Amino acid sequence: MKAGVVGIGRALPDKVVTNADFEARGLDTTDDWIVRRTGIRERHHLEPEDQAGALATEAAREALADAGLGADELDHIIVTTITPDWITPGLAPRVADDLGVGAGAVDLNGACAGFVYALDHASALIEAGRASAVLVVSCDILSRITDFEDRSTAVLFGDGAGAAILTGGEFARGVAAAELGSDYQVDQLNAPIGGFLGMNGRSVYTNAVDRMAQATRAVLEREGLTVDDLDLFVAHQANQRILDATAAQLGVPAEKLVSNVDRVANTSSASIPLALRDAESDGRLEPGMLVGLAAFGAGYVWGATVIGWKEDRA
Ligand code: ACO
């Protein structure tokens, strides 16, 4: 028995904030600087009165519809987030309630690597026979922990939610066990309780590139694959330079590198499912493709896996 991804969904807040909006607000920055250094052109921001839980549920509903699955068929829900609506309860019980089910529901804080960790946990539950259908939602509202007076971070982040449905079956590839790792570097990247995200940008940059590349190489080797076997590579959408440098280190050609960072900026754990969903709707991602995923975030924590996209269930 393997676990496979059979549905994907997304939700973005309506409000779009462009680089020009930051200039207009008086932040000492320019569209040219932001685009050259990060590739980001715009991001979505949730209104302060709106709830992350509602956004997470919207993404979950789209993923369920995409999978052709009823919410009552879910037996486990994992929501990854660093920005829940409450310190407790988490977002997952709220999503379960919105969907009208009482399935097991738990939040996971894996920072920007949360989606890869949750895929791994969900797959393990399915492979062990403890669940047959698992919903993973990755939802982050980074505007809540962004200092909009600090130009070095204000322009980098956005809000969004992405969701995936995993079920069990005899898939050709399924979801490979992830290569995961951690290295406690709280001084380099953190958000204190009640405070803003801060980081040493250079350290984050080099660690993100090296760790994502190392983990990808490791999972490919374990699976008996090479980079050439991948149809697409979807890494955490921190910024375009990190994506390009990671792809270059691995030898992934530009046409296989997925990026939507220009439209959504860095949405933390939501970034990979949002990129997968966009790649599918852009016609770049098709059933049966082999996709490499890699993520890196605060901790540091990181992970990489390989998935067969929406494979036929034998
Ligand atoms: N507009 C204009 N100038 C700016 C801005 C801005 N928005 N932000 C910083 N600058 C200035 C700095 O003040 C500095 O000026 P100075 O030379 O007069 O001191 C100059 O630009 C260069 O700053 P650096 O920080 O050296 O710029 P760098 O080329 O390293 O790019 C960046 C900064 C984009 C943050 C880069 O370090 C990076 O990509 N780091 C990765 C961090 C990241 O993406 N983190 C996301 C969270 S973690 C994660 O998702 C894994």
Side-chain angles (χ1 to χ4, degrees):
M1 170 72 75
K2 288 184 178 171
V5 174
V6 297
I8 190 88
R10 74 161 195 180
L12 291 169
D14 293 336
K15 183 175 164 190
V16 174
V17 178
T18 65
N19 294 345
D21 290 330
F22 284 111
E23 291 183 57
R25 286 179 200 169
L27 192 69
D28 184 15
T29 190
T30 60
D31 174 60
D32 181 61
W33 191 97
I34 301 168
V35 172
R36 260 190 307 112
R37 302 284 179 129
T38 72
I40 297 165
R41 294 179 186 277
E42 60 187 37
R43 69 288 289 147
H44 294 251
H45 282 170
L46 198 69
E47 298 291 355
E49 65 275 16
D50 288 340
Q51 299 265 300
L55 204 69
T57 301
E58 193 184 328
R61 286 194 205 284
E62 192 179 278
L64 282 166
D66 189 43
L69 212 72
D72 57 348
E73 295 174 80
L74 294 173
D75 34 31
H76 208 93
I77 297 173
I78 303 173
V79 177
T80 74
T81 189
I82 56 170
T83 52
D85 292 320
W86 305 81
I87 288 178
T88 193
L91 288 182
R94 154 80 194 264
V95 170
D97 188 61
D98 286 349
L99 295 177
V101 298
V106 69
D107 281 15
L108 183 156
N109 178 339
C112 301
F115 182 73
V116 171
Y117 273 80
L119 272 193
D120 201 53
H121 294 193
S123 304
L125 287 171
I126 289 169
E127 287 168 9
R130 292 190 179 189
S132 53
V134 182
L135 165 66
V136 171
V137 189
S138 293
C139 177
D140 272 306
I141 312 299
L142 292 183
S143 62
R144 284 183 180 164
I145 53 169
T146 300
D147 179 358
F148 289 109
E149 305 295 316
D150 174 9
R151 68 178 182 171
S152 69
T153 54
V155 301
L156 300 177
F157 304 114
D159 304 338
I165 307 286
L166 290 89
T167 60
E170 299 306 320
F171 297 105
R173 171 71 50 184
V175 179
E179 286 288 330
L180 303 171
S182 69
D183 174 17
Y184 190 57
Q185 297 283 348
V186 63
D187 294 342
Q188 303 302 312
L189 174 59
N190 68 62
I193 290 173
F196 295 126
L197 253 180
M199 66 182 163
N200 173 349
R202 296 251 169 101
S203 161
V204 172
Y205 183 101
T206 50
N207 274 281
V209 172
D210 291 346
R211 303 297 198 179
M212 287 197 288
Q214 280 162 11
T216 302
R217 269 189 227 106
V219 74
L220 286 172
E221 191 180 329
R222 177 165 41 75
E223 294 296 307
L225 297 165
T226 70
V227 164
D228 293 341
D229 294 315
L230 296 178
D231 294 300
L232 286 180
F233 180 61
V234 183
H236 169 49
Q237 309 280 304
N239 67 56
Q240 192 61 45
R241 282 161 70 209
I242 289 181
L243 292 173
D244 291 342
T246 308
Q249 215 186 97
L250 284 166
V252 172
E255 64 273 15
K256 290 186 178 181
L257 178 65
V258 172
S259 172
N260 65 352
V261 75
D262 58 327
R263 288 168 271 165
V264 296
N266 179 347
T267 57
S268 191
S269 67
S271 87
I272 290 180
L274 284 174
L276 287 166
R277 167 68 170 67
D278 280 3
E280 191 178 65
S281 59
D282 291 346
R284 294 182 68 193
L285 177 54
E286 292 173 6
M289 280 186 165
L290 192 64
V291 187
L293 307 182
F296 175 89
Y300 297 131
V301 291
W302 61 87
T305 188
V306 178
I307 61 174
W309 186 251
K310 292 186 177 173
E311 294 168 312
D312 286 338
R313 218 179 313 185

